[in-house]
Amino acid sequence: MNQNLYSLLSGHFPKKPAAPCMILPDGRVWTYGDIERASGRMANLIVALGLQPGDRVAAQVEKTPEALVLYLAAIRAGMVFLPLNPAYQRHELEYFLKDAKPGLFVCRPQMRALADELAGKAGVPNVLELDDAGSGSLIAAAAPQADGFATVTREASDLAAILYTSGTTGRSKGAMLTHGNLAHNARTLHSYWHFRPGDVLLHMLPIFHVHGLFVACHCILQNGSAMFFEPKFDAARAMKLLPQATVFMGVPTYYVRLLLDPGFGRVTCRNIRLFVSGSAPLLKETFDEFKARSGHTILERYGMTEGGMFTSNPYEAGENGRRGGTVGLPLPGTELRIVMRSGIPGDGAGSLCVPGTPLRGQVTAAKPGVVGHIQVKGDNVFVGYWGMPEKTQEEFTADGWFKTGDMGSLSADGYVTISGRSKDLVITGGLNVYPKEIEELIDAMPGVMESAVIGLPHPDFGEAVTAVVVRQKNAEGRALTESGIIAAIKDKLANFKVPKWVYLVDELPRNTMGKVQKNILRKTYSPMTSR
Ligand code: AMP
């Protein structure tokens, strides 16, 4: 059987080609028939340009239906799709093109001169344009091509996509995902989240990232139903469209912004059956407030570029089913364990972690509630970093577990709680401090909107625990002071965990996926500690 992901998806397309797939802000509709034909034309074009299966197709374009079709055409033709954040600038682009050497680079018209220059340097033979309205030389070149295209046969182990990680430390790495990886995750999520005929998704996420492209689009394409395909998140648009949708997927910031609208409530969500959150931690307060205002329990899940989704809160929302502050249980087909040491060759000696079970060698499985390194295994886990065999080897244990780089703990009944990235762990005076523990205490203080705890260089302690705190815009927020925050949590924490420095700010730096960029905070505040 053809393992090409496109075959899996199109096998679920509705029998009627006129069935809607994407509903655009101006009311235009892309039907499933349109998708089949347009991806057929584009796949024919890619082949006509001389690309061979396995060649890369890179795209740095805005979110449009044509951009999604380009992705589908690329995998349909057996190519490897490489989506790039439109925010990337010259030096990032130069690196990606040189590293991945795509056979085709699709850019926005305003980037054309730079694209030609960099493509020339990197030896990329074809550059075409796709503008923010979905037109351009790519579309013009595809127009005369035939609509029909026989989806190229692929094995489950063949590459379908390379997604570059955000690379906050060192070089950005291209995570290689196979047709099998993507298909496994698509099938699992579709069934775990109970997708059903007629589901309508409100899609406001970017599509250069695993969340918007794979999680959201694959669920709906496999469901053969429709999505509102919006260029980006906009709270006012969401308020308008939510009543017509049944599923919404967002990063935590979207939920925070919805709650800021006084009109948001049960009526807005009357047709929704599922709210999904991920890509960054959802604050327990947001989870609780959302429940109180809308009557809905947000389902939080956890995953990453290197493997799609690893865990999810259960669909069955019954009492204590979806737990705020946790990312739920390992998904079917994904094994997850928490180990007390990582980074040593041959660690994690082979047995699946049941909390409290000793593993062989120098590594022990964490007991329930104890924070350790999260490692995963499963058909969804990527096959390695493009062109970086040593890095790939470093990131897997000898017995094949992927070291996620996240720290977390398991409850006695298997729910996972994330404590943050291991590189964000603060080591002060030789002792480990997990930022989340302190952030939770600070966030619970009256007047605090949110906080981020980081480690900054300190002459005595190596690193000093530092809190960057966003105040609420009310009297309680205005009354907060640096020393007041320290005083309020002092008796709740061991001395070494108490922040040495506190900074009050208006907002935290976030990337497009809503992740707090702690590397930026460290850079901003490090010079201030050498005073
Ligand atoms: P990315 O590869 O850009 O999708 O980022 C993956 C990282 O985002 C993970 O390794 C986690 O650190 C973080 N992440 C994703 N989902 C969650 C979540 N629900 N809660 C906390 N962190 C998350």
Side-chain angles (χ1 to χ4, degrees):
M1 205 182 91
N2 188 356
Q3 301 294 321
N4 191 313
L5 175 72
Y6 187 81
S7 296
L8 162 77
L9 299 173
S10 63
H12 294 279
F13 287 0
K15 297 277 166 299
K16 283 191 197 137
C21 175
M22 286 183 268
I23 306 164
L24 306 187
D26 61 6
R28 276 184 303 141
V29 171
W30 274 69
T31 66
Y32 276 91
D34 293 334
I35 302 254
E36 277 269 274
R37 289 186 295 273
S39 67
R41 287 193 297 274
M42 238 184 253
N44 278 315
L45 169 67
I46 292 170
V47 173
L49 289 172
L51 276 76
Q52 300 289 327
D55 283 350
R56 275 76 55 212
V57 171
Q60 191 191 29
V61 292
E62 284 301 338
K63 179 180 175 185
T64 56
E66 291 78 4
L68 183 63
V69 166
L70 173 62
Y71 159 62
L72 294 173
I75 55 168
R76 202 175 167 183
M79 309 301 159
V80 181
F81 189 65
L82 208 148
L84 295 169
N85 186 337
Y88 287 143
Q89 299 295 324
R90 167 186 279 273
H91 77 279
E92 289 141 327
L93 216 47
E94 183 165 14
Y95 167 69
F96 295 129
L97 294 183
K98 272 194 182 148
D99 194 50
K101 297 211 175 4
L104 166 65
F105 176 41
V106 180
C107 69
R108 287 163 302 158
Q110 59 269 43
M111 298 291 273
R112 181 59 194 252
L114 178 64
D116 280 339
E117 180 200 326
L118 300 180
K121 278 193 199 163
V124 176
N126 299 290
V127 178
L128 289 171
E129 293 167 25
L130 180 61
D131 68 22
D132 303 355
S135 311
S137 55
L138 171 75
I139 305 301
Q145 298 288 334
D147 290 346
F149 183 86
T151 299
V152 171
T153 301
R154 295 274 84 187
E155 300 289 334
S157 57
D158 285 325
L159 293 192
I162 298 176
L163 263 65
Y164 279 87
T165 58
S166 40
T168 46
T169 50
R171 276 172 69 195
S172 181
K173 305 181 289 282
M176 299 188 286
L177 294 154
T178 64
H179 286 265
N181 291 150
L182 298 178
H184 178 271
N185 221 227
R187 279 197 202 99
T188 306
L189 297 178
H190 184 266
S191 117
Y192 202 77
W193 293 342
H194 292 216
F195 269 85
R196 56 188 70 159
D199 260 336
V200 178
L201 174 78
L202 174 53
H203 192 307
M204 296 188 134
L205 291 156
I207 56 166
F208 55 77
H209 187 269
V210 59
H211 195 165
L213 185 58
F214 299 150
V215 179
C217 290
H218 287 174
C219 275
I220 216 71
L221 291 172
Q222 209 185 159
N223 201 50
S225 64
M227 56 184 159
F228 289 106
F229 204 65
E230 293 282 304
K232 61 177 181 7
F233 178 79
D234 177 280
R237 285 290 294 164
M239 288 293 293
K240 204 161 169 240
L241 294 172
L242 276 173
Q244 303 167 60
T246 64
V247 180
F248 180 73
M249 294 185 189
V251 299
T253 331
Y254 297 0
Y255 291 101
V256 172
R257 298 223 195 116
L258 280 173
L259 288 170
L260 288 176
D261 189 321
F264 176 80
R266 283 171 193 260
V267 175
T268 331
C269 308
R270 59 187 176 271
N271 285 321
I272 298 277
R273 67 168 184 84
L274 180 63
F275 282 103
V276 178
S277 174
S279 292
L282 179 74
L283 292 181
K284 180 75 166 53
E285 295 80 79
T286 312
F287 175 88
D288 289 339
E289 193 187 340
F290 199 86
K291 195 169 179 175
R293 289 267 296 278
S294 70
H296 282 273
T297 313
I298 298 174
L299 178 153
E300 186 171 4
R301 93 296 178 282
Y302 155 68
M304 65 198 298
T305 303
E306 285 90 336
M309 297 303 104
F310 301 144
T311 74
S312 168
N313 269 281
Y315 183 76
E316 290 74 18
E319 210 38 48
N320 215 19
R322 295 182 198 162
R323 295 186 200 160
T326 84
V327 292
L329 305 155
L331 281 160
T334 302
E335 293 176 272
L336 182 146
R337 70 183 184 186
I338 290 179
V339 300
M340 294 316 292
R341 289 188 63 190
S342 148
I344 41 175
D347 64 355
S351 59
L352 176 63
C353 170
V354 177
T357 310
L359 302 176
R360 273 187 288 127
Q362 296 163 283
V363 185
T364 50
K367 292 192 170 55
V370 175
V371 175
H373 299 266
I374 300 178
Q375 300 182 348
V376 293
K377 210 181 208 181
D379 289 344
N380 51 324
V381 176
F382 78 134
V383 290
Y385 294 112
W386 175 258
M388 292 184 172
E390 295 87 19
K391 192 78 203 154
T392 303
Q393 210 181 354
E394 265 172 42
E395 300 302 325
F396 282 88
T397 65
D399 56 345
W401 291 75
F402 172 59
K403 303 171 192 169
T404 62
D406 288 312
M407 310 285 302
S409 58
L410 284 171
S411 69
D413 57 353
Y415 280 66
V416 179
T417 298
I418 310 279
S419 308
R421 302 285 299 157
S422 58
K423 65 176 192 297
D424 293 332
L425 180 78
V426 184
I427 305 180
T428 181
L431 298 166
N432 288 356
V433 176
Y434 300 106
K436 196 174 175 203
E437 184 186 355
I438 303 149
E439 287 162 3
E440 279 178 350
L441 275 181
I442 298 178
D443 293 348
M445 288 176 59
V448 172
M449 185 128 101
E450 58 176 347
S451 62
V453 165
I454 52 172
L456 294 182
H458 187 283
D460 295 334
F461 302 111
E463 281 186 312
V465 178
T466 306
V468 185
V469 180
V470 182
R471 285 183 278 198
Q472 282 173 0
K473 291 183 177 49
N474 56 19
E476 282 176 326
R478 283 189 293 276
L480 283 175
T481 61
E482 282 95 345
S483 53
I485 291 173
I486 293 178
I489 55 173
K490 219 175 177 146
D491 56 349
K492 300 195 177 90
L493 283 173
N495 208 21
F496 70 95
K497 295 184 190 170
V498 177
K500 303 250 176 324
W501 296 302
V502 172
Y503 296 99
L504 294 169
V505 297
D506 289 333
E507 60 178 1
L508 297 173
R510 285 201 146 82
N511 69 10
T512 31
M513 298 311 293
K515 288 189 221 297
V516 175
Q517 293 171 299
K518 290 198 169 178
N519 55 326
I520 294 184
L521 288 177
R522 282 190 286 262
K523 231 187 249 163
T524 310
Y525 292 101
S526 287
M528 301 170 91
T529 62
S530 52
R531 50 199 170 170

